[in-house]
Structure formats: structure tokens, C-alpha cells
Amino acid sequence: MREIVLDTETTGLNPADGHRLLEIGAVEIVSQCATGKVFHTLINPERDVPEDAARVHGHTADILKDKPLFASVVDEFIAFIGDARLVIHNAEFDLGFLNAELERAGRQLIGVERVVDTLALARRKHPGQPNSLDALCDRYRIDRSRRVKHGALLDAEILVDVYLELTGGRQRSLSFESDADKVVTVGAFPSLRIEPRPTRVSLLEAEEAVAHTEHVRTLGDAAIWIRYAGGQTAASPTALASM
């Protein structure tokens, strides 16, 4: 299954207040394994960036003024996500901004039915506990040392690891053997051939063999040599040599 783990950065908290998108980061995963394909862009929000927001992500209006408008990158973004399921932490926030930009650009909005909210997953799995991205990284021992400031692509990459922990994908990926590797196919190995035991040549002289036979006869019917000789009262030199 193809999924896109996604994060955004914005100028504020609510698009209804005129705040805009300024960064998108997205990571492709297939069957819960990162493929190496990513989408990342900074965006000119066409407005100022409040100081409190800039402290969170480090992007100022001066930095963003030469970046592309959302309308310039929307086709590339839509092509990248395709019809894949989107994995987002606190999806209501990011989806609100994405749909506001898509509506402004005259494009189809993203439905909530194709979104997995990892915040909702975490709340179900860890009720009553902190479930921010930082808290989940600490809980699952995921390295977040690079997260000095928020960044859409960095946060999406971290969210991949968090998502795998929340869904059990990390444990599954620890197995280095596929199910196919564990199956032993009948007939995969050549049949064992039991070679007939070679006939041994007697090293006894004829006189020695006769003397031994006479001796065995004196031991009685219960003698072990009688059993080894196949119940014969007189063993031939060849029979004696095969014992």
C-alpha cells in the first residue's frame, strides 16, 4: 500500500484568520517502508510571518519572498500524493490549511476519509498521556535531536518512524526473513540414497574359520555368535567376516 506521510508549516493557527501555508514536506512509504521519494517546498505566503510563528519554524517573510506561490507548485504536489492515503499528525490542522490553498487554486479538496491522523492513533493507544510528536519520539526512543526548529520535511521523516511504532510496522520490519524464506519446499533437497553395505572379504584362513565354527558349536544354542551368524551352527568365512 502506498501512503504519504505529510507535514506543513504555516504563518499561524487558522486559515480562516487569513493565515497561509509556507512549507510542505511529504515522504512516500510503500508497505510501511520509506522509498526515498520525497516532496518538499517552501512557499511564499503572500503575507507577513508573525514573530511567534517564525520562532517555531525559522521562516521569515524576507526568507520566503522569493519562493514560489502555492499555485506554482500545486500540480507537482497533487501529482506526488496521487490517490495515496495521507498520514498526518493532528490532521485537522494541516488539512485545513491544505484545503484552503487548494480551494484558492481551484483544485479538488482532500477528503478526510483518505487521511490517517497519528494524533488520534496515539490518543487511542496512550490515553491520558502526552501525544505530541516530541512526546511520542521520547516514548519510542526516536532520535529528534535535529528538531531544533520545526521543519515540514524533517517532521514528516520523524513521523514515519512514529507511525510505524503506532501501527506495529517497526516490529514487523525487524524480521530479516520473509515468510517465503521460512518455507521449506517438499522436494527441494535431493532424496537420500542408502548405498548397499559392501561385502567384506574374510581375512581368515580356511583352517581358522573351521576352528572358530567348531568353537562356537561348543558354546550352545544361546551363544551370541550363533545370533550374529544368522542362527547358523556353522558360519562360513564370508559370514564371519561381515560381523
Side-chain angles (χ1 to χ4, degrees):
M1 175 188 294
R2 182 176 186 265
E3 298 172 292
I4 301 296
V5 182
L6 185 147
D7 188 66
T8 68
E9 298 297 337
T10 67
T11 63
L13 298 178
N14 194 337
D17 295 333
H19 287 292
R20 301 285 300 274
L21 206 61
L22 58 78
E23 185 181 14
I24 303 173
V27 178
E28 180 187 65
I29 60 175
V30 175
S31 299
Q32 296 195 319
C33 292
T35 65
K37 294 181 181 180
V38 302
F39 175 89
H40 179 238
T41 186
L42 292 173
I43 298 167
N44 182 349
E46 301 180 273
R47 57 152 293 163
D48 67 303
V49 180
E51 187 176 343
D52 56 348
R55 279 198 299 268
V56 173
H57 48 60
H59 302 310
T60 64
D62 189 56
I63 291 173
L64 298 170
K65 65 183 180 181
D66 296 327
K67 302 305 177 184
L69 303 179
F70 181 81
S72 300
V73 300
V74 63
D75 289 336
E76 186 180 355
F77 171 68
I78 291 174
F80 182 79
I81 65 172
D83 59 357
R85 184 163 65 182
L86 304 181
V87 179
I88 307 173
H89 196 71
N90 192 14
E92 183 179 2
F93 176 87
D94 298 83
L95 200 59
F97 276 94
L98 284 169
N99 279 337
E101 297 292 350
L102 288 168
E103 184 176 23
R104 188 177 287 111
R107 303 307 175 91
Q108 184 176 348
L109 305 188
I110 299 171
V112 294
E113 70 280 352
R114 64 178 289 193
V115 177
V116 174
D117 188 350
T118 50
L119 179 58
L121 288 179
R123 284 172 173 169
R124 287 198 294 269
K125 190 169 184 177
H126 308 290
Q129 300 183 47
N131 287 302
S132 67
L133 194 57
D134 282 343
L136 290 169
C137 285
D138 293 343
R139 183 172 300 139
Y140 294 129
R141 299 181 181 179
I142 295 169
D143 181 18
R144 60 179 180 89
S145 59
R146 294 181 297 155
R147 200 176 187 238
V148 179
K149 290 186 180 294
H150 292 204
L153 182 58
L154 173 60
D155 286 0
E157 291 171 340
I158 291 174
L159 185 56
V160 171
D161 290 334
V162 169
Y163 179 51
L164 294 182
E165 291 286 359
L166 288 170
T167 58
R170 180 176 292 273
Q171 285 89 345
R172 291 195 296 273
S173 68
L174 287 177
S175 175
F176 295 102
E177 293 181 290
S178 67
D179 289 339
D181 292 331
K182 298 176 182 178
V183 175
V184 178
T185 304
V186 176
F189 300 98
S191 299
L192 295 176
R193 294 181 57 196
I194 302 176
E195 298 291 343
R197 187 175 181 180
T199 302
R200 297 178 183 178
V201 178
S202 175
L203 299 180
L204 295 177
E205 297 291 340
E207 293 181 358
E208 294 174 324
V210 171
H212 180 75
T213 301
E214 292 297 330
H215 175 69
V216 168
R217 193 178 282 120
T218 65
L219 298 177
D221 294 340
I224 192 171
W225 278 102
I226 298 297
R227 187 165 71 250
Y228 283 145
Q232 299 175 3
T233 56
S236 68
T238 300
L240 291 171
S242 65
M243 293 179 185

